[in-house]
Amino acid sequence: MSKEALDHINANQTTWRQAKRGLISRPHELPQIGNLLHRRITRTFGLDEAKKPLLVWSVVYDNPQTPNSEYVYERRYPEGIEDTDKKDYVVGIERINEYATNYATKEFIRSNADFPVGKQAVTAYGAIADLLTYGVLLNGTYQVMRDLEIMANHQGLDYKTALLDGLFNHDFQSMNGIIQAASEYTGLHNLTELATEIGRRRFKKPDLGKWLGKLDTNKSDGPAKAAIKNCLISVAAGGVFRTPGVVEMSAGMIPFAAATNFVASDLYVDYNAVVNMKQPGLILNPEIPIKLAPLVAESTLPMILVAGSLLPFIAIHESIHHYSGSRDYLGFIPVSLIEKRITPAKAKLEGE
C-alpha cells in the first residue's frame, strides 16, 4: 500500500483521537482485539499491506463536539448508468456489498477455527449470525446471489474467489463473467445491471438505508434530537464504518434487550395482577418488583446472551468494511475519498 493511500487513514485516526467529547459519547479503543483481528484478517485474505484500523466501542455511538474525521467517502456512480437507474443502483449495490461482507465474515470465521469440532461450531455460529444480521432483512438479495452461486458452480466457475476479488481487490472481471454466464436465465450481463435489478424489484423492501437514514443525525438537528437519534441508531446498528480508518462498535443492543424484556415482563405481571384481582398492579404494590426480579433476570439473561453473541460477528463484519475500502471503492460500492473535516453520517455516504 502506497504512502498516499495511508495518509487519509493516519489523518483520520489522529483527528478521531483528538476530537472533543462529552460525558455520554465517550468511545474506548480496543487495541488487543484490534491487533488480533488485524493479524487474522490480513492473513486470511492475503492483505499484507493493509493498514490496521482503530477498533473502538461505546454504549452510545461517538457523537463528538468537534469533527472526528479529515477524510470521508463520497458516493460515485459507474460510467454509463442512466439517471433514472441511479436510485435503484444505490439500493442494489449497497445490498450486494453487505451480502459480500457477511459472506467474507463467515469465510473468516470458518478459516480461523483451529480444530475440527471448533470448525463445525463456528461455522454454525457464522450461519446463524449471518441470518440474524442481514440474512432475514436482505433475504431477496441473498436468494438472487445464491442462485447465481449455484449457476456458477454448475458451470465450473469459482464464485467465492470472484466475490472476494470484487470485495477486496475491486476486480469485477470474474464476477461480471459469472453474471454474463447466467444471462440466459437472468437477462443480466454485469454487476451494474445486477445491482440495478436488485434495487428495482421487491428486494429493496424493507429499505434499510432509508430507515437508518431517518435515525442518522443531521446538521439541522438540535442537541436533544441528535442525542435521541444517536441512542436509537446505537441500538439498531451494532457497528458502523463511515470514518475511514476507524471501526466503531456499539453495545447499545445489550441494555436495550434487557430493558425491553424487563418492561415486557413488568407489564405482563402487572396486567395479570389487575385483571385477576389477586394483587394490585406493580405501580401500587412496590413488593412485587422485588419478588419478580429473579424471574425477570432468568428470562432476560438469554436475550442478553443472544445480543452479546452477535457483537463478535459484527466486529469482524465492520472491520472487513475497512479492509475492503480504498480511495475509489468501499467494497463493491464506487466512492471518491474527499477531504472534508466533519463527523461522518453513520448510515449514509456523503454526496447523496
Side-chain angles (χ1 to χ4, degrees), residues 28 33-34 37 46 48 82 125 128 134 136 138 186 192 197 209 228 256 286 304 307 316 327 330 336:
H28 302 278
I33 298 175
L37 282 178
D48 297 334
E82 299 290 339
Y125 164 75
I128 294 171
Y134 282 111
V136 172
L138 304 184
T186 65
T192 299
E197 182 67 9
I228 292 171
F256 176 80
I304 294 175
I316 298 167
R327 301 185 78 88
L330 180 54
S336 297

Side-chain angles (χ1 to χ4, degrees), residues 238-298:
V240 293
F241 175 72
R242 282 294 184 255
T243 305
V246 180
V247 174
E248 187 170 359
M249 302 296 300
S250 167
M253 64 174 66
I254 296 178
F256 176 80
T260 301
N261 186 72
F262 180 83
V263 170
S265 300
D266 188 326
L267 293 175
Y268 175 78
V269 173
D270 185 53
Y271 171 80
N272 280 281
V274 172
V275 169
N276 296 327
M277 302 299 291
K278 295 178 179 179
Q279 294 282 353
L282 293 183
I283 297 176
L284 302 177
N285 189 346
E287 295 182 1
I288 292 182
I290 298 175
K291 298 177 180 179
L292 181 65
L295 178 62
V296 173
E298 182 179 351

Side-chain angles (χ1 to χ4, degrees), residues 269-347:
V269 173
D270 185 53
Y271 171 80
N272 280 281
V274 172
V275 169
N276 296 327
M277 302 299 291
K278 295 178 179 179
Q279 294 282 353
L282 293 183
I283 297 176
L284 302 177
N285 189 346
E287 295 182 1
I288 292 182
I290 298 175
K291 298 177 180 179
L292 181 65
L295 178 62
V296 173
E298 182 179 351
S299 62
T300 300
L301 182 59
M303 296 191 69
I304 294 175
L305 292 176
V306 170
S309 69
L310 292 177
L311 290 180
F313 188 92
I314 294 172
I316 298 167
H317 174 104
E318 298 301 333
S319 295
I320 286 176
H321 275 316
H322 164 83
Y323 291 102
S324 66
S326 68
R327 301 185 78 88
D328 300 311
Y329 287 95
L330 180 54
F332 282 88
I333 305 172
V335 296
S336 297
L337 188 70
I338 59 172
E339 187 172 356
K340 191 173 184 180
R341 184 176 169 81
I342 61 171
T343 296
K346 299 174 184 66

